[in-house]
Amino acid sequence: KYICEKQDYLNFKLTGVLCTSGCNVAARWHWDAELACQSKGDRHAGRPVSLLGKIGLLDVLDKWPNECVEMGRVLGRLSNEAVRHLGLTDIIAKLPLEQQQQGIPVAQGGPDAYVGMVGLGCVSPGKLALITGSSHLHLAVVPSPVTSQKGTRRGLKGVWGPYNGAPFLGRSFVEGGQSSTGSVLAWTRRELLSTR
């Protein structure tokens, strides 16, 4: 019935709350996360309705999770079922009573590279994060939203984005880089430089 990211499904299993990450939807689903995360009750706010209409996929709108939660915000509490399944019952029982009653908070995450931006302290305009993994990414935080001299929103030549509302609300970022370069380096090392 729903189309969601693996992370959304795991959060649902942990909390019973089906929502999506503002950072994920901005970077991967062409949403305006700023609008989507702040609009309560409007299923289409921030979603790429025009794009979906042009490619004949408007029905996808009703299959995406209704709620969008900003990366780092609490999206729910660990359910009793999840506590039992994860074998945490004894650990939870040792917590102060007030914390047991409030429940264990579960925070919204995001894509690995963008969480890495936070770890590097790259969360304000003018900062650049260089992330290496299976690819090499250059992630820059820019003013939100990026506008032209006429005041209209626009993209930037030569880079992807800006992704509005990501990594957090009130921010935007752009990205560029080389896909698969980390994987190519690992293959080269394994296949050509190994001393087997």
Side-chain angles (χ1 to χ4, degrees):
K1 181 177 176 178
Y2 288 101
I3 297 172
C4 64
E5 300 264 354
K6 172 180 56 179
Q7 163 189 322
D8 304 331
Y9 179 73
L10 291 173
N11 285 337
F12 174 72
K13 295 300 279 184
L14 291 173
T15 66
V17 175
L18 182 61
C19 63
T20 193
S21 165
C23 192
N24 278 359
V25 298
R28 295 181 175 152
W29 299 5
H30 306 287
W31 289 23
D32 181 327
E34 194 80 32
L35 293 174
C37 289
Q38 293 179 346
S39 299
K40 302 298 180 202
D42 183 353
R43 290 184 50 83
H44 298 156
R47 278 71 166 178
V49 177
S50 175
L51 171 65
L52 293 172
K54 289 177 183 176
I55 60 174
L57 291 175
L58 277 173
D59 61 325
V60 170
L61 287 169
D62 294 324
K63 295 177 181 174
W64 277 331
N66 296 337
E67 189 178 356
C68 182
V69 176
E70 176 185 16
M71 185 170 74
R73 295 273 182 220
V74 172
L75 63 94
R77 304 283 171 180
L78 202 58
S79 71
N80 291 333
E81 182 181 344
V83 167
R84 283 189 299 277
H85 178 76
L86 295 170
L88 299 175
T89 306
D90 292 341
I91 294 170
I92 302 287
K94 294 176 184 174
L95 294 174
L97 185 58
E98 183 179 336
Q99 194 172 1
Q100 288 180 43
Q101 291 170 341
Q102 289 176 348
I104 304 301
V106 176
Q108 182 60 276
D112 56 356
Y114 313 128
V115 173
M117 290 173 70
V118 177
L120 289 170
C122 181
V123 293
S124 56
K127 300 264 184 164
L128 173 70
L130 301 175
I131 307 285
T132 299
S134 56
S135 300
H136 288 82
L137 299 175
H138 305 84
L139 305 167
V141 181
V142 296
S144 181
V146 175
T147 57
S148 69
Q149 290 178 342
K150 295 178 184 176
T152 56
R153 290 182 65 185
R154 65 177 177 90
L156 299 170
K157 204 172 198 173
V159 296
W160 291 12
Y163 302 117
N164 196 33
F168 304 111
L169 300 186
R171 305 278 194 280
S172 290
F173 77 90
V174 295
E175 70 176 310
Q178 300 81 39
S179 297
S180 303
T181 52
S183 297
V184 169
L185 290 173
W187 177 88
T188 302
R189 181 175 180 198
R190 184 180 64 248
E191 298 298 325
L192 302 177
L193 304 176
S194 174
T195 58
R196 292 181 224 182

